[in-house]
């Protein structure tokens, strides 16, 4: 299947040994050649600058179970883009940039997320792993960066789970204000823990139905919004009136758009979780490309269309837009306001129920992501060995228990009334999302360069990201701008030292993880010719029987035409 490989000359062994890998081309050769190559690979690896011999051995052991189906993967990917950032926080972008400015902000950030997802999809389809952030950085960049990205991702989502527990109590108190929110937070923790403890199917099925409900909500919102704009419901033919009021269509020009871009970037966080599910996907060769290829359309449908409707129905100077910042403000969220303008007096109750489902979904996904990332870290010697243990159902139970305990501690900090410490911790998780998106773009750049440098054919990639190298360069540049500009409010118009530190603390923390592991382990940057593109690849796993080989599906006529056009233009 793979084209002829040009095997690079090997560097002389020094303090860091490298893989003496078999040609990836040999994996499609005869069985005897494959077995000899595998033995050669296992015997020669002592310690590498990318993945240790022990971690490779552990990775080959049957641990996690590939039980996630295509429909679950697809709905998880769709639902991962829909959260409180859309239902509640989207109004802030309208207040900051006006209707056209907020639309441009989401289009720009949506395009960035699209390229991040296609970068992750190309690598994850070729090397299916449950922790792409650590594993790819370890393999394609430097093991110390892998360590930093892995733990950065874990603590980011651990803190997020803790914040979702707090949010759940606030949401339920909307209906039952006389019962302390701690009760509902504890019930939420037990529910999401049970979903994850049953099996990966338990997580997948729960996420499927919660995501389906969020998708249905956005579709209904879009339809109601169109009816409201045209005057069919609500009794007011709004049309494009709100695009011609004060502050429209652009508010504060480029400054307003940049402010909206920062909010939009954080609204998209969570879309990368589909990359973690690849490690337990039953058919990654077929399902992952399908999911990734749908990214553009779900961003267009769920975010861009929602922002357009909000900008048409609600004037940008409405005070409620800027005031809606948390789940306790559901009564003045832009979604609620649009439904109310359509004449739905029950809109606040409906959206509160949807936000409750959204919080459960975020907590469920966050707990799942943390357990898989920690399990891979443990198998690569970057976390205690006892985190490697899994149940018969393929659940990393100790990782699950430890993460749930840490998230509970975060929740208890808020419960104790120490608001400053709680906000400080939650701010850590925000910038961390930008950091591991940066890592994905950088890893993809290195992966593709190594793939080509080692003589492999791009046509043999199970999924090929479009517009390389523009995609990763574009996303990396935008993310760097967002990371630097996130704390502009702490500097201008007046400098707030405490807010500045809490906003940017994730950066020095990442550096401590990176440089600390680099100093202890004496790791080095992996050269392109030394990057291993064989071990753990989908080709090897299919030959070893670790992944079931499904018969290829014949592409439709339209898809064949697009493939022909792409080959013609290359």
């Amino acid at each position: 299947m793979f084209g002829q490989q040009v095997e690079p000359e090997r560097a002389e062994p020094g303090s860091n040994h490298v893989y003496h890998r078999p040609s990836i081309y040999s994996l499609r050769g005869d069985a005897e050649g494959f077995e000899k190559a595998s033995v050669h690979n296992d015997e020669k690896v002592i310690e590498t600058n990318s993945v240790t011999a022990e971690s490779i051995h552990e990775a080959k052991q049957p641990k996690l179970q590939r039980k996630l189906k295509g429909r679950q993967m697809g709905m998880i990917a769709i639902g991962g883009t829909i959260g409180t950032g859309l239902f509640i926080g989207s109004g802030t972008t309208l207040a900051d940039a006006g209707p056209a400015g907020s639309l441009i902000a989401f289009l720009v950030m949506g395009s960035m997320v699209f390229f991040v997802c296609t970068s992750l999809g190309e690598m994850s389809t070729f090397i299916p792993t449950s922790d792409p952030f650590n594993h790819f950085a370890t393999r394609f960049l430097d093991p110390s960066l892998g360590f930093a990205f892995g733990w950065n991702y874990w603590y980011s989502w651990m803190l997020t789970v803790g914040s979702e527990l707090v949010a759940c109590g606030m949401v339920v108190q909307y209906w039952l204000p006389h019962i302390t929110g701690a009760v509902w937070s504890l019930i939420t923790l037990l529910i999401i823990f049970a979903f994850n403890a049953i099996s990966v199917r338990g997580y997948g099925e729960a996420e499927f139905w919660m995501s389906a409900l969020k998708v249905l909500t956005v579709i209904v919102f879009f339809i109601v919004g169109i009816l409201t704009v045209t005057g069919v419901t609500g009794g007011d033919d709004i049309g494009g009136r709100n695009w011609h009021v004060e502050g429209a269509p652009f508010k504060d020009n480029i400054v307003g758009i940049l402010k909206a871009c920062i909010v939009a970037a954080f609204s998209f966080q969570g879309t990368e979780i589909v990359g973690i599910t690849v490690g337990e996907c039953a058919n990654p060769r077929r399902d992952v490309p399908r999911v990734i290829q749908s990214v553009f359309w779900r961003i267009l449908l769920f975010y861009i269309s929602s922002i357009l409707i909000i900008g048409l129905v609600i004037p940008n100077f409405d005070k409620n837009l800027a005031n809606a910042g948390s789940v306790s403000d559901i009564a003045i969220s832009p979604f609620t306001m649009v439904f109310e303008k359509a004449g739905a007096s029950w809109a606040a109750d409906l959206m509160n129920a949807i936000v409750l489902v959204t919080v459960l979904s975020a907590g469920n996904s966050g707990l799942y992501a943390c357990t898989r990332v920690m399990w891979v870290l443990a198998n690569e010697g970057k976390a205690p060995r006892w985190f490697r243990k899994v149940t018969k159902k393929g659940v990393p139970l100790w990782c699950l228990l430890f993460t749930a305990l840490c998230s509970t501690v975060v929740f208890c900090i808020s419960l104790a009334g120490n608001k400053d410490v709680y906000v400080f911790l939650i701010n850590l998780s925000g910038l961390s999302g930008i950091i591991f998106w940066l890592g994905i773009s950088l890893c993809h750049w290195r992966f593709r360069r190594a793939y080509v440098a080692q003589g492999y054919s791009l046509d043999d990639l199970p999924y090929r990201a479009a517009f390389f190298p523009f995609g990763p360069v574009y996303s990396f540049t935008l993310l760097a701008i967002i990371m630097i500009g996130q704390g502009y409010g702490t500097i201008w118009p007046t400098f707030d030292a405490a807010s500045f530190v809490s906003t940017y603390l994730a950066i020095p923390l990442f550096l401590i993880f990176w440089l600390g592991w680099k100093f202890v382990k004496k790791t080095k940057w992996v050269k392109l010719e030394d990057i291993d593109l064989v071990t753990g690849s989908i080709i090897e796993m299919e030959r070893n029987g670790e992944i079931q080989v499904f018969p290829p599906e014949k592409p439709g006529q339209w898809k064949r035409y697009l493939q022909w056009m792409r080959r013609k233009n290359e």
Side-chain angles (χ1 to χ4, degrees):
M1 175 179 177
F2 282 82
Q4 185 177 2
Q5 176 190 6
V6 180
E7 184 69 20
E9 295 181 3
R10 310 303 296 179
E12 291 296 325
S15 59
N16 292 276
H17 296 280
V18 298
Y19 278 107
H20 297 265
R21 64 184 182 280
S23 165
I24 201 166
Y25 181 79
S26 70
L27 300 185
R28 284 302 193 191
D30 58 276
E32 181 181 357
F34 173 76
E35 291 173 2
K36 288 180 180 179
S38 300
V39 171
H40 183 67
N41 192 46
D42 290 338
E43 290 179 349
K44 293 295 183 181
V45 177
I46 306 298
E47 183 178 351
T48 132
N49 211 26
S50 53
V51 186
T52 64
E54 182 182 4
S55 71
I56 293 299
H57 176 72
E58 291 291 338
K60 289 183 178 179
Q61 303 304 312
K63 297 290 184 180
L64 305 179
Q65 297 181 4
R66 295 188 174 274
K67 299 292 186 180
L68 283 177
K69 304 300 182 184
R71 66 176 180 86
Q72 294 171 330
M73 290 275 293
M75 194 57 73
I76 288 170
I78 293 173
T81 62
I82 305 173
T84 53
L86 175 62
F87 291 138
I88 299 176
S90 55
T92 305
T93 63
L94 180 59
D96 287 337
S102 61
L103 199 60
I104 290 174
F106 271 90
L107 280 168
V108 171
M109 290 297 103
S111 65
M112 179 271 295
V113 171
F114 169 75
F115 285 119
V116 169
C117 288
T118 55
S119 293
L120 181 60
E122 180 175 299
M123 296 184 292
S124 295
T125 309
F126 189 74
I127 304 176
T129 175
S130 291
D131 180 10
F133 317 105
N134 155 52
H135 190 81
F136 293 153
T138 294
R139 201 157 178 162
F140 307 141
L141 304 176
D142 184 320
S144 57
L145 278 172
F147 177 84
F149 279 123
W151 280 107
N152 176 84
Y153 194 80
W154 177 84
Y155 80 69
S156 171
W157 272 105
M158 181 275 295
L159 293 171
T160 300
V161 172
S163 70
E164 297 300 342
L165 295 178
V166 176
C168 186
M170 295 168 63
V171 170
V172 179
Q173 279 190 310
Y174 177 85
W175 294 304
L176 303 169
H178 302 298
I179 301 178
T180 177
V183 174
W184 308 114
S185 298
L186 179 60
I187 293 173
T188 300
L189 178 61
L190 294 175
I191 291 173
I192 62 177
F193 184 90
F195 285 153
N196 281 271
I198 295 171
S199 67
V200 69
R201 280 184 175 177
Y203 158 76
E205 202 63 27
E207 199 60 28
F208 175 86
W209 290 108
M210 287 189 285
S211 295
L213 183 58
K214 291 189 288 183
V215 169
L216 180 62
T217 300
V218 176
I219 293 174
V220 171
F221 171 80
F222 180 73
I223 295 173
V224 171
I226 293 295
L227 296 176
T228 305
V229 170
T230 56
V232 176
T233 60
D236 184 9
D237 186 1
I238 299 173
R241 184 174 65 213
N242 289 324
W243 279 57
H244 301 283
V245 297
E246 181 183 354
F250 294 97
K251 187 176 181 180
D252 292 340
N253 298 317
I254 188 65
V255 175
I257 293 175
L258 289 175
K259 290 165 66 176
C261 281
I262 293 173
V263 176
F266 289 97
S267 298
F268 281 115
Q269 287 191 10
T271 54
E272 78 290 333
I273 283 184
V274 69
I276 294 177
T277 63
V278 173
E280 292 169 280
C281 176
N283 188 359
R285 182 183 287 275
R286 180 197 65 189
D287 294 336
V288 177
R290 283 182 177 178
V291 169
I292 297 300
Q293 287 166 0
S294 70
V295 168
F296 173 80
W297 298 110
R298 50 194 168 96
I299 289 175
L300 184 66
L301 174 63
F302 299 122
Y303 270 91
I304 308 305
S305 63
S306 296
I307 297 300
L308 177 62
I309 291 297
I310 292 171
L312 286 170
V313 176
I314 306 173
N316 69 89
F317 51 76
D318 192 305
K319 294 181 180 180
N320 289 331
L321 291 174
N323 294 331
S326 71
V327 293
S328 61
D329 302 320
I330 189 61
I332 55 175
S333 81
F335 271 62
T336 303
M337 293 166 66
V338 170
F339 279 124
E340 286 180 343
K341 282 185 177 292
S345 57
W346 37 261
D349 289 300
L350 170 67
M351 288 311 303
N352 201 59
I354 299 302
V355 168
L356 178 60
V357 172
T358 301
V359 168
L360 277 170
S361 175
N364 188 41
S365 294
L367 204 55
Y368 169 82
C370 284
T371 57
R372 270 53 182 183
V373 167
M374 179 169 281
W375 181 81
V376 175
L377 285 168
N379 275 278
E380 294 188 357
K382 298 171 184 173
R385 293 176 59 90
W386 49 277
F387 284 130
R388 301 178 185 184
K389 182 177 176 59
V390 299
T391 66
K392 293 181 179 179
K393 295 288 187 178
V395 177
L397 186 59
W398 288 111
C399 297
L400 180 62
L401 287 167
F402 182 75
T403 302
L405 177 63
C406 291
S407 296
T408 303
V409 170
V410 174
F411 161 69
C412 289
I413 290 174
S414 76
L415 195 64
N418 199 334
K419 184 178 179 180
D420 291 337
V421 176
Y422 173 72
V423 172
F424 187 77
L425 289 172
I426 297 306
N427 282 345
L428 277 178
S429 65
L431 193 58
S432 297
I434 302 298
I435 291 174
F436 51 73
W437 278 357
L438 280 166
I440 292 171
S441 299
L442 185 57
C443 286
H444 183 219
W445 172 267
R446 290 274 296 172
F447 165 76
R448 182 70 79 87
R449 288 188 64 199
Y451 190 87
V452 173
Q454 295 182 22
Y456 303 139
S457 171
L458 294 177
D459 291 333
D460 294 329
L461 286 170
Y463 171 74
R464 182 175 172 182
F467 305 110
F468 184 90
F470 172 78
V473 172
Y474 170 77
S475 56
F476 187 93
T477 303
L478 274 181
L479 287 165
I481 293 172
I482 294 299
M483 185 171 67
I484 295 170
Q486 183 200 358
Y488 75 95
T490 66
I491 302 174
W492 184 85
T494 58
F495 180 69
D496 185 340
S499 298
F500 178 83
V501 171
S502 67
T503 299
Y504 288 106
L505 184 63
I507 296 177
L509 188 59
F510 177 83
L511 293 175
I512 290 172
F513 278 120
W514 172 25
L515 299 178
W517 191 257
K518 190 173 186 66
F519 176 78
V520 172
K521 296 296 182 178
K522 312 297 182 186
T523 63
K524 293 183 179 180
W525 191 261
V526 187
K527 297 179 181 179
L528 291 179
E529 62 268 21
D530 293 334
I531 290 177
D532 176 35
L533 296 174
V534 173
T535 308
S537 69
I538 193 169
I539 308 296
E540 183 189 57
M541 296 176 82
E542 287 175 343
R543 284 299 295 266
N544 288 343
E546 298 175 50
I547 295 180
Q548 183 180 352
V549 180
F550 293 86
E553 296 181 350
K554 186 178 180 181
Q557 184 175 354
W558 177 245
K559 187 174 181 180
R560 290 198 302 270
Y561 173 74
L562 291 177
Q563 291 173 343
W564 174 79
M565 287 293 294
R566 187 176 67 179
R567 287 194 299 268
K568 184 178 179 181
N569 293 330
E570 290 177 349

